[in-house]
Amino acid sequence: MATHLLRLGDFSKDELFAYIDRAIVLKQETAAGIRHTQLTGKTIAMIFEKASTRTRVSFEAAMYGLGGQVIFLSAKETQLARSEPLKDTALVMSRYVDGLVVRTYGQEVVTELARYSTIPVINALTDLFHPCQVLSDVMTVIEKKGSLANLKVGWVGDGNNMANSWIEAAAKLGFQLVLACPEGYAPQEDLLKEAQDESGGRISVVRDPVEAARDADVINTDVWASMGQESEQQERLDVFQGFQVDRQLLSHAKPDCIVLHCLPAHRGEEISAEVLEGGQSVAFDQAENKLHIHKAILEKHIA
Ligand code: CP
Ligand code: NVA
């Protein structure tokens, strides 16, 4: 039976660490010039309904890097844009390719595709989650900090898809996560409650960014208006004043705190240019690690 990757909450701690451990090995092997061929003869289709630079290119490069093939489809050029049901799309795709990587709006789209698909469906971002991104982010934290033990991770900004996947990661992997979000922009209540119960109280939501930053080992942020929220951009610019990750906020964290941003970044909004491009930022390492984590994901799900 196909194993889908729709959200981190569907996996155990050991399974999540296995992706990261494997990605670290694949990264080392690639650096050593080892050629991988484990997906020779396999093809994935990627259906993207939203823009992407990193996720698209790193999934494609990962698939080719393992010897496989990719068919990229912009959703608006498929019959989905003319209301062909997701069910029929899943049934047809299952006859052509060995896996589907999907970027879309509603989480119910990937859930529906997975229901009818006999091939693995991998979530490459929905409005609710960005699981593959957070795996590469956690990999980056482990590379920089050695392990997740005793780490405090602060999230500053919107309680969005990235925040939700960080919440699921914290619940499963057991690190402290303090999210500072403006009123009305906290992560989804039911999802948060479930993760808090699982984590034994190591996940909290506060209003003050300084509380998230204080003594943090990791500070993490993301855009104030995600894809699909363009009409709220101006209103969000007002609401999120005071939530910028800048030198002042960073002064409350541990001196060796690292700063994460999944990119694309809006310099001068959620993060200052100085911090994004400064010595504590690991944003471009996160971006690189997407390639390696996607190889690990494809190897596990498609091989
Ligand atoms: N971080 C990330 O998912 O980037 P893209 O939107 O460019 O894929
Ligand atoms: N929260 C952002 C992440 C982009 C990678 C968005 O959904 O647009």
Side-chain angles (χ1 to χ4, degrees), residues 157-257:
D158 192 18
N160 63 12
N161 46 6
M162 282 293 301
N164 291 337
S165 283
W166 269 97
I167 287 168
E168 294 210 332
K172 292 285 175 182
L173 303 178
F175 53 85
Q176 187 192 359
L177 178 64
V178 180
L179 303 106
C181 310
E183 195 176 351
Y185 294 84
Q188 203 170 294
E189 195 65 43
D190 53 341
L191 196 146
L192 178 67
K193 173 86 177 54
E194 201 177 312
Q196 281 172 325
D197 291 347
E198 189 172 354
S199 76
R202 286 171 55 81
I203 305 171
S204 54
V205 177
V206 298
R207 291 274 170 268
D208 182 0
V210 173
E211 254 189 83
R214 189 177 297 123
D215 297 323
D217 302 279
V218 177
I219 294 180
N220 200 345
T221 190
D222 185 19
V223 291
W224 291 338
S226 286
M227 290 182 279
Q229 297 172 335
E230 288 77 8
S231 65
E232 299 173 30
Q233 173 76 23
Q234 194 50 50
E235 181 190 336
R236 283 170 174 264
L237 274 178
D238 298 336
V239 170
F240 283 87
Q241 285 312 309
F243 282 76
Q244 183 179 102
V245 176
D246 56 13
R247 191 161 22 143
Q248 166 64 23
L249 188 64
L250 211 49
S251 71
H252 298 280
K254 289 195 180 140
D256 62 350
C257 176

